[in-house]
Amino acid sequence: MTGENWLDEIKWTEDGLVPAIAQDADTGEVLMFAWMNRESLAMSAREGRAVYFSRSRGRLWPKGEESGHVQQIREIRVDCDKDVVLLKIEQVGGIACHTGRRSCFYFRLEDGDWQAVEAVLKDPGEIYRQP
Amino acid sequence: MTGENWLDEIKWTEDGLVPAIAQDADTGEVLMFAWMNRESLAMSAREGRAVYFSRSRGRLWPKGEESGHVQQIREIRVDCDKDVVLLKIEQVGGIACHTGRRSCFYFRLEDGDWQAVEAVLKDPGEIYRQP
């Protein structure tokens, strides 16, 4: 079992968090941005699936727990200052965004306005269907 | 002249900032992560060059001001919550990182350790040479 020195090296915020960027390992597309705490980063590395920390809900957020849109991790990277994490992932279902789009970054600035430039692949009502 | 509604739509942090990811517009490589305030995002859009806000120095940080490694903006995107900016850029000089590497995300987690897996393209002493 490996130690946790690599976790100690991360420069956590005062709240014990680190920003995390999820990038499609094949296409390079930036899919989403979220936060992690120490436990969620440790779990992500151990399980090979992205687990974030939901600041709004104040708890661990295993990506895809409701939607099934799990992120399989191919690589975990950190930047020069060790204060930002980059995950290279395979996006199960091809949808990272809760709006049913492939990527969360679907608004492009055009002539002084944000234009949605990516298609909705699945109705959110279907993704988050109540049992 | 366009209005500033698009800036009003950004969900700034309490400190008036928004996280910004810079991605190579051609290769898709994630090059760096920084913060912007309203003024820096407005300037970035107006000038077509990335201007960040340096939290450590407490001032605007036109990327490349010392190194010459300016980032020419091709697209400005924002995510579904409008609280994270993604810049698709052309990296002048091919080096985004102050360590002389192409990308800041050069540490990869391997067997429980962070390994530097990207080459230094230019000596930082040469990049930030004093006049």
Side-chain angles (χ1 to χ4, degrees), chain B:
Chain B
M1 181 172 166
T2 57
E4 295 204 322
N5 287 346
W6 67 278
L7 284 168
D8 296 334
E9 286 177 42
I10 299 287
K11 294 204 189 80
W12 307 96
T13 65
E14 283 183 13
D15 298 328
L17 300 175
V18 68
I21 300 161
Q23 179 183 32
D24 188 294
D26 291 316
T27 67
E29 195 174 1
V30 176
L31 299 178
M32 57 177 279
F33 172 94
W35 294 82
M36 290 182 154
N37 66 0
R38 185 179 174 105
E39 189 182 357
S40 71
L41 180 51
M43 281 180 68
S44 297
R46 198 166 56 233
E47 302 179 4
R49 290 174 167 215
V51 178
Y52 300 106
F53 182 81
S54 168
R55 294 185 303 170
S56 58
R57 289 173 285 182
R59 65 164 178 85
L60 293 177
W61 166 32
K63 171 68 181 165
E65 62 180 347
E66 289 177 63
S67 62
H69 296 155
V70 167
Q71 295 177 336
Q72 309 277 12
I73 298 173
R74 282 235 210 116
E75 274 188 31
I76 300 180
R77 292 207 178 199
V78 73
D79 72 337
C80 47
D81 296 325
K82 294 204 174 108
D83 61 2
V84 183
V85 167
L86 175 67
L87 302 178
K88 301 200 180 192
I89 58 115
E90 292 167 54
Q91 179 61 63
V92 172
I95 293 174
C97 186
H98 75 287
T99 64
R101 291 175 176 88
R102 185 158 172 67
S103 161
C104 291
F105 293 91
Y106 61 83
F107 285 115
R108 185 162 64 197
L109 186 62
E110 291 182 1
D111 303 322
D113 266 318
W114 296 114
Q115 302 289 346
V117 296
E118 308 273 354
V120 173
L121 302 179
K122 193 170 180 181
D123 186 316
E126 275 185 61
I127 298 173
Y128 300 98
R129 196 162 26 198
Q130 297 305 315

